[in-house]
Amino acid sequence: MFIKVCVEKNRYVDSVTLMDVREKAMKQSGIKIAEVQMGTPANLEIMRDIGFEIPEDVSCTDMLTGIIADSEEAVKNVLDYINGLLDRTGADVDGEERYSDLDEINFDETGYNLVQISLPGEYAAAEAKKAIQKGLDVFIFSDNVPLEDELSLKEFGKEKGVIVMGPDCGVGLIDGVALAAGSIVRKGNIGIIGASGSGAQEVACIIEKCGFGVSQIIGTGGHDLFPEIGGITMLEGIKRLERDEETKVITLVSKLADNAVMEKVLCYADTVSKPIVAVFLGSSKDLFNGHKVRGAHSLEEAAEIAVELLCGEKHKYGYSDEQLQETAKQEFAKLSPEQKYFRGLFCGGTFTEETLIYFSQNAKGNTLYSNLKNKYSVQLADPEVSIGNSILDLGAENFTESLPHPVFDSRLRVKRLKKELEDKQVAVVMLDFITGPGVDADPITDLAEICKQVNSSSRHVTFISSICGSLEDPQNVEEKAQLLRSSGVIVTGSNYQSAKLACMMMNMLAERA
């Protein structure tokens, strides 16, 4: 066995690119393990756990490559292959055209009309401005772009007649092409504009589960409804979907945002000829009073209303409330007297918030703890240590400052699940899963195996999950859902249904105590 570690000082590569390179490197001949990571403390720990010897002077700005292979030749070949992918030289295994700069592309010949940008925030705005100047729509996955730069880019895009999605935009589906962490949702007539990536994807995937499809998903980035930005991309997105012949119904998705900006968006939506449904998670029903827009109060409800507006009929799927209640009773009967707490381990920030909102309204007498600072829960003193009923957004900054986002790398969520299960008082665990061509190639199998091991022992834990993904996603969501069920995991039709079931169990546990 041959082992090699390479360190490139001061070379930044984003996590999505590294994940893609890592997966492709693992498929090369003679390769046992291929790790390509930035040198954050968490990544160094992963590589050392594997068995790589890492120099002491590695920093967060350094890129590491660790190879374990059958032969020295295989090591050399895969390192050349990795460098070729990262340097954009040579032919990729997929035969993709690769460029090192926008100026190398003849847009008249290629027909490209959109640029996806995934660079450190300090460089992203300059590249986005260059793309806008060339008349291209822009999807900015990068975060840490100052608000003043975001405002400037969006105003410039509006002036040039192009749309600026992001910064910090996690999901998009434009003309059938999934962007960043987006799913390949079936084609249809419902257009979505989302200031929440996982929220927009959940609505799209529920629409598909109801038997319908999506025309476009236009992401705005999480700051678009801030007062400093004023909803520029959401408003421009409405205009674009109003012109789009394939779009018959428009759906707006966001977490609770600035009241004045939400009102501005709703007032403009009142002037649009196409029916519109909106969900602003955590908003009151009063927000929609006097507006033509149909208001929804969960992602599931937004999808159901959109389908109803499209076809004139209500479509239900997944579990009914009666089925959830019966399942809760059956699961409760399997728990021991010492088990009394809930733990939620989320990779989608919107799913965390939707669950917190539901629990705060329906969990009787249960104190909720979270790594997030919000009005729905008490903030944990140490996000690494759960207490009581804890709900964690593992994609939040207090985890991802030194860790890869769990939607792209599930290994650290696996580690956290094992840690949570060391607490014998844990009774219920809730997990979300997000699939798509741009995320973890298999975010489910390792977690399912842990659940299976627990429920194959003398101890029972109620595991509740949902999969936010499309039938066309490469992870094969139907197969993975069956894997979860065979591992003793309850798979619901949506995050909202999972929250309902978990809340029913929490109330039963609270009453027993």
Side-chain angles (χ1 to χ4, degrees), residues 58-351:
V58 172
S59 73
C60 295
T61 60
D62 301 333
M63 190 190 81
L64 290 88
T65 304
I67 304 296
I68 299 178
D70 291 336
S71 67
E72 191 170 358
E73 183 183 9
V75 171
K76 180 184 182 303
N77 289 340
V78 79
L79 287 174
D80 288 344
Y81 177 78
I82 288 169
N83 288 330
L85 292 179
L86 292 172
D87 294 335
R88 298 296 191 259
T89 60
D92 189 5
V93 290
D94 298 323
E96 298 170 347
E97 292 290 332
R98 294 189 176 275
Y99 310 94
S100 59
D101 192 279
L102 287 175
D103 291 332
E104 295 180 5
I105 306 170
N106 185 325
F107 290 98
D108 292 332
E109 290 183 0
T110 60
Y112 296 136
N113 58 8
L114 182 145
V115 172
Q116 178 172 301
I117 295 174
S118 184
L119 294 168
E122 60 190 299
Y123 306 116
E127 290 303 311
K129 186 175 181 180
K130 185 188 294 186
I132 294 167
Q133 184 67 53
K134 293 178 181 293
L136 303 169
D137 289 336
V138 179
F139 183 99
I140 308 172
F141 180 72
S142 313
D143 57 6
N144 298 315
V145 176
L147 280 175
E148 56 267 28
D149 287 347
E150 177 171 348
L151 177 61
S152 175
L153 288 171
K154 290 185 171 181
E155 288 180 333
F156 187 38
K158 182 178 178 181
E159 175 190 328
K160 290 291 187 180
V162 302
I163 200 155
V164 178
M165 294 169 273
D168 195 23
C169 195
V171 166
L173 183 73
I174 305 298
D175 296 335
V177 178
L179 302 172
S183 274
I184 309 171
V185 184
R186 70 187 290 183
K187 196 72 174 169
N189 301 114
I190 299 174
I192 299 172
I193 306 164
S196 157
S198 52
Q201 179 155 320
E202 174 83 336
V203 171
C205 293
I206 292 172
I207 288 168
E208 183 182 81
K209 290 172 185 176
C210 290
F212 297 85
V214 169
S215 55
Q216 311 280 353
I217 302 176
I218 298 174
T220 71
H223 303 147
D224 191 64
L225 298 185
F226 281 20
E228 295 89 340
I229 308 300
I232 292 174
T233 299
M234 186 163 281
L235 293 168
E236 291 302 303
I238 294 172
K239 294 175 186 175
R240 181 168 290 200
L241 292 183
E242 170 80 338
R243 297 191 302 266
D244 181 33
E245 293 182 0
E246 291 186 355
T247 300
K248 307 302 180 187
V249 174
I250 299 171
T251 306
L252 310 179
V253 183
S254 177
K255 300 177 186 178
L256 189 62
D258 180 76
N259 281 325
V261 179
M262 289 188 294
E263 180 68 18
K264 176 182 176 182
V265 169
L266 292 174
C267 286
Y268 180 77
D270 289 338
T271 69
V272 173
S273 64
K274 296 179 180 179
I276 299 179
V277 55
V279 55
F280 297 101
L281 282 177
S283 66
S284 69
K285 293 182 179 179
D286 294 342
L287 176 66
F288 300 100
N289 287 347
H291 290 289
K292 185 178 74 173
V293 173
R294 288 275 301 271
H297 298 281
S298 71
L299 301 172
E300 177 179 287
E301 185 184 17
E304 290 175 346
I305 292 174
V307 168
E308 182 185 353
L309 289 171
L310 180 66
C311 68
E313 298 178 4
K314 293 186 177 182
H315 282 69
K316 288 290 183 181
Y317 69 99
Y319 287 88
S320 66
D321 286 354
E322 292 76 18
Q323 289 170 322
L324 292 173
Q325 190 66 49
E326 184 58 34
T327 300
K329 290 178 182 177
Q330 293 171 2
E331 288 294 310
F332 179 73
K334 300 174 185 177
L335 300 174
S336 69
E338 70 174 329
Q339 291 177 278
K340 54 183 178 180
Y341 292 130
F342 165 88
R343 299 289 157 81
L345 303 180
F346 292 88
C347 57
T350 303
F351 297 144

Side-chain angles (χ1 to χ4, degrees), residues 479-491:
E479 180 183 283
K480 290 299 189 294
Q482 186 52 45
L483 173 64
L484 286 166
R485 293 187 182 100
S486 66
S487 302
V489 181
I490 299 165
V491 182

Side-chain angles (χ1 to χ4, degrees), residues 382-399:
D382 182 356
E384 296 295 337
V385 181
S386 299
I387 59 174
N389 296 306
S390 289
I391 303 174
L392 304 179
D393 176 7
L394 295 175
E397 286 184 3
N398 44 22
F399 287 112

